[in-house]
């Protein structure tokens, strides 16, 4: 999380999806900067179906941005 | 889930919708990598209307991305 | 639900909205394939305002996709 | 609700917003076709801040679609 | 709320954000037209973090529309 | 929060993400202008996984807007 976000270009959709995950995690870190607290919370929401679905939704929204930034990796 | 995401192009909207489902599932796997836990949770949220609606929403968001990537399968 | 999704083109916004409903329902069927269970759940969420609003939201998201696919039915 | 959705073009943003409201209501009617039940539920969610915010969100999503369909009413 | 929505063009992002707030409030007024009730509800949701986040989300969605309508205020 | 929003252009995605955070916070301040109340609420939602995910979602939506405004920082 210490590195900055240099650009949204990725080589493949796979890397783009990973960038979307990173963006989603950063959005959490903004409010809860303590890695210790985040680690403590993780087992709670990782067993809660609605939390898991909500995380997937945030990733989906960020993936829209990354995919558009990469022109959907069209060749 | 072991295969990587090579591209967002699909032959038909049907395949595009299936890719949107895959993306939505991956967004869950990120937080809960244990297939055993996911299988245990499934009967819970599969009987909860609000969870079912929320899953459908995540798929809808990912389908927006896949549809745009395929220029909406216009001929 | 047995038929596949051939294309996103519809003649009118009305048909487009109906396609958005179909897409939203498919997103539910993915997780709960049993028609019997879905029918049993229906009276529950059909009386819950928040569920009704959530369903309308999923349809709205899918309608964005269908409308874009049809260039908003502009003549 | 008996009339069909002929097109998404409106003369003004004001009319476009009203169309977004109509689309949002139709998304509810799909699941709960009984006007009597909808009227009975209304006083419940009209007093619940979270329901009111959720309705506003669905309208906002539909307004995105209508606004794009009208090229944002740019002259 | 008595004035109508004439156009989505604003001079600055600041004014655009304010228009997004107005649109979000209108989406609430649709369901709860009574200013008295809305004022009574306000202190409740203004102290509820999840309601505050949800309001911010509706504004964000409306700001997407207003920003697109203004071509992102690019010069 | 006293400064106005002059434009959506940023030099890098990193700054764009920070602007998305600012926009998300402003969306909260609209409803709860008291900094004292917001500070009091913070420790509550900063320990609630669902609130953290919801905040990340609002940032993701605002980041979509900022990214589009900057043409995704493509060179």
């Amino acid at each position: 999380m210490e590195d900055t976000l240099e650009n949204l270009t990725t080589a493949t959709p796979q890397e783009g999806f990973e960038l979307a995950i990173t963006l989603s995690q950063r959005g959490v870190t903004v409010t809860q900067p303590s890695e210790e607290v985040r680690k403590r919370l993780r087992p709670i929401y990782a067993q809660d179906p609605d939390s898991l679905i909500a995380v997937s939704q945030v990733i989906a929204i960020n993936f829209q941005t990354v995919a558009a930034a990469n022109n959907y990796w069209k060749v």
Side-chain angles (χ1 to χ4, degrees), chain A:
Chain A
M1 234 58 166
E2 35 281 330
D3 58 331
T4 58
L5 188 62
E6 291 304 339
N7 73 78
L8 300 182
T9 309
T10 70
T12 61
Q14 178 66 31
E15 287 177 31
F17 198 76
E18 285 158 18
L19 178 53
I21 295 167
T22 300
L23 289 167
S24 306
Q25 289 167 334
R26 281 189 191 209
V28 168
T29 310
V30 167
T31 315
Q32 184 45 268
S34 159
E35 197 180 339
E36 188 230 313
V37 175
R38 291 199 311 272
K39 276 195 180 158
R40 183 162 49 73
L41 296 174
R42 197 182 178 89
I44 303 169
Y45 69 82
Q47 307 254 1
D48 179 329
D50 291 327
S51 302
L52 290 169
I53 297 164
V55 168
S56 185
Q57 178 157 321
V58 181
I59 294 170
I61 294 168
N62 279 313
F63 188 57
Q64 288 192 327
T65 309
V66 176
N70 287 278
N71 197 29
Y72 304 97
W73 298 276
K74 286 174 191 171
V75 283

